[in-house]
Amino acid sequence: MGNKATAGPLKSPVLIRKIIEKAPAGVIILDSAGKVLDFNPAAAAISGYRREEALDRPVLEVLSCEVDREDSPIKAAMEGQEVESQEIMVLNRQGQSVPLMFSAFPLINEEEVLLGEVIIFRDLSTIKRLENERRHLVHMFAHDLKTPVVGVGGLVRRLRQGKAGPLLEPQLAYLETIGQEMENLEKLINNFLEFIRLDLHILTPLPSALQVDKECQEVMTLLSPLAEAKSIDLQGDYPQEVVVLQADPLLFRRVLENLIGNAVKYSPPQTTVILKVQDKGEEVLFAVKDQGSGILPADLPHLFEIYYRGAEAGKERGFGLGLATVKRIIEVHGGRLWVESQTGKGSTFYFTLPRESAS
């Protein structure tokens, strides 16, 4: 093969300048005193200052924090500190509030001398507008769709109870099916709203002290009829010492009900489902183990995605919202969720919750 000509190192000031100019995010380069050395077009569009106006100005004159705080990330950048992705509000030249995702890192030479700082930021206005639209959509969804579904379900129950007169067996059978489908639809709406409210932080945890073994046993008791119907043995394994953690009791139960309920649903009859709790000091580890058919390797990476239903779901009904909601609940509590599974040997869902509230 012939020798190919290769380009030299990308150290040309012209190339570096071109990269900064074309960057889709705002880029400001500061000197060691916190004054502007360079300023790209994206920074000009966000701040309202032209490059020639911004040069040699203190950066706080160009990016003014909406609320002056001693711990401002912009002040930290002026002092040569590294700032990892923080959301801040600044005022542009016209005095308008602009939400930014802000990062910064120092420029240090081989002698560990601070030469300056690079600031990178993105305008979040469009994202914030879309978030507000999603919030309005959630409220509309809750009112305009959930209300008539609940109303229709109530009317169907009244008909089945004979409130409008006696019905024939075929009519009762039809109403039974309609009633069941309306319950499924209401469950879908509730799960969807719960997930979206958690995702948008409309629904936030209300932590309180809860005794772990007591809460777990109550959930196991609640689900025991479901297990007994399939001759499944529900077992709990708890620490000898009383374990107390700070979490939202309703959301904590929602997590356990979903994971244990799924374990029972997807397990064959006459098997065992175990909930094991371990005190790990600063956090509590929970494990829900079943003896089902396991999860296919192709499904594992997508298991906690909204609306995802793996191939092993089979004929079991569901909407793919449960595990996505569980993941969101655990995350807003500051915990972690993962799964280990072998095809034909069952699955174990693990999650942790910190002893102290993450909020």
Side-chain angles (χ1 to χ4, degrees):
M1 294 178 64
N3 293 330
K4 292 185 177 180
T6 57
L10 292 176
K11 293 183 179 180
S12 165
V14 175
L15 287 175
I16 294 173
R17 177 70 203 147
K18 196 72 174 177
I19 292 169
I20 293 173
E21 283 185 354
K22 295 297 183 181
V27 178
I28 300 177
I29 301 177
L30 308 181
D31 62 17
S32 58
K35 292 185 178 181
V36 177
L37 282 178
D38 208 347
F39 196 76
N40 75 345
I46 293 170
S47 69
Y49 286 89
R50 298 193 305 274
R51 180 173 181 269
E52 55 269 25
E53 294 175 320
L55 294 180
D56 207 36
R57 282 182 183 243
V59 68
L60 274 175
E61 291 184 12
V62 179
L63 286 182
S64 173
C65 282
E66 187 178 60
V67 179
D68 187 26
R69 306 189 332 250
E70 286 303 316
D71 62 345
S72 161
I74 298 179
K75 289 183 178 179
M78 292 179 67
E79 296 169 358
Q81 300 178 33
E82 184 166 344
V83 180
E84 293 186 3
S85 299
Q86 289 192 29
E87 191 174 320
I88 63 171
M89 294 292 293
V90 301
L91 297 174
N92 64 14
R93 190 173 188 176
Q94 292 73 40
Q96 301 167 325
S97 296
V98 182
L100 299 182
M101 184 60 71
F102 182 96
S103 301
F105 60 89
L107 296 172
I108 300 173
N109 65 12
E110 291 82 357
E111 287 76 34
E112 300 296 319
V113 176
L114 178 67
L115 303 178
E117 188 93 1
V118 177
I119 292 175
I120 303 171
F121 51 93
R122 293 185 296 112
D123 186 350
L124 298 180
S125 298
T126 301
I127 294 173
K128 293 294 183 183
R129 186 166 58 251
L130 290 173
E131 282 186 359
N132 287 332
E133 290 176 2
R134 286 177 67 196
R135 288 172 186 268
H136 290 313
L137 180 62
V138 169
H139 292 306
M140 181 190 72
F141 195 89
H143 181 269
D144 294 346
L145 187 56
K146 184 177 178 180
T147 301
V149 167
V150 173
V152 171
L155 290 174
V156 170
R157 283 192 295 273
R158 290 176 65 83
L159 288 173
R160 289 165 59 190
Q161 292 166 359
K163 300 292 185 181
L167 297 171
L168 301 175
E169 285 299 322
Q171 294 170 326
L172 285 171
Y174 279 126
L175 286 174
E176 178 74 28
T177 301
I178 293 170
Q180 185 61 54
E181 292 303 320
M182 294 306 296
E183 288 180 11
N184 290 335
L185 182 55
E186 185 179 355
K187 184 184 294 185
L188 168 62
I189 294 170
N190 287 336
N191 287 343
F192 174 78
L193 290 175
E194 185 177 52
F195 176 84
I196 295 298
R197 283 170 174 160
L198 282 163
D199 196 48
L200 292 175
H201 304 286
I202 298 172
L203 175 63
T204 54
L206 298 174
S208 63
L210 57 86
Q211 185 176 324
V212 171
D213 62 333
K214 178 176 177 293
E215 296 290 333
C216 290
Q217 287 167 3
E218 289 182 2
V219 172
M220 298 278 273
T221 300
L222 178 69
L223 295 175
S224 59
L226 180 67
E228 290 169 1
K230 296 180 68 174
S231 300
I232 289 175
D233 183 20
L234 272 183
Q235 296 180 7
D237 183 356
Y238 313 110
Q240 291 185 350
E241 302 80 11
V242 173
V243 177
V244 177
L245 58 78
Q246 293 285 330
D248 186 308
L250 293 177
L251 296 180
F252 176 72
R253 283 176 172 243
R254 177 82 168 85
V255 168
L256 286 181
E257 288 173 14
N258 186 283
L259 294 180
I260 299 172
N262 277 353
V264 172
K265 182 190 296 186
Y266 295 111
S267 291
Q270 298 179 343
T271 56
T272 301
V273 170
I274 301 173
L275 168 62
K276 185 173 183 178
V277 181
Q278 293 178 274
D279 185 357
K280 296 293 185 178
E282 293 185 357
E283 65 181 13
V284 182
L285 173 64
F286 299 82
V288 178
K289 180 178 177 60
D290 65 50
Q291 296 176 317
S293 58
I295 301 165
L296 294 176
D299 291 331
L300 283 172
H302 309 286
L303 204 59
F304 303 113
E305 295 175 5
I306 186 170
Y307 300 129
Y308 186 83
R309 281 175 56 74
E312 290 299 303
K315 296 181 179 179
E316 296 294 345
R317 305 189 67 168
F319 304 103
L321 282 164
L323 288 177
T325 301
V326 164
K327 184 174 187 288
R328 191 72 188 100
I329 290 172
I330 291 170
E331 286 177 343
V332 298
H333 278 85
R336 296 169 292 120
L337 170 68
W338 69 99
V339 61
E340 294 177 0
S341 184
Q342 284 186 285
T343 305
K345 295 186 178 181
S347 306
T348 303
F349 283 80
Y350 297 91
F351 70 94
T352 64
L353 290 176
R355 294 289 288 266
E356 298 298 324
S357 170
S359 59

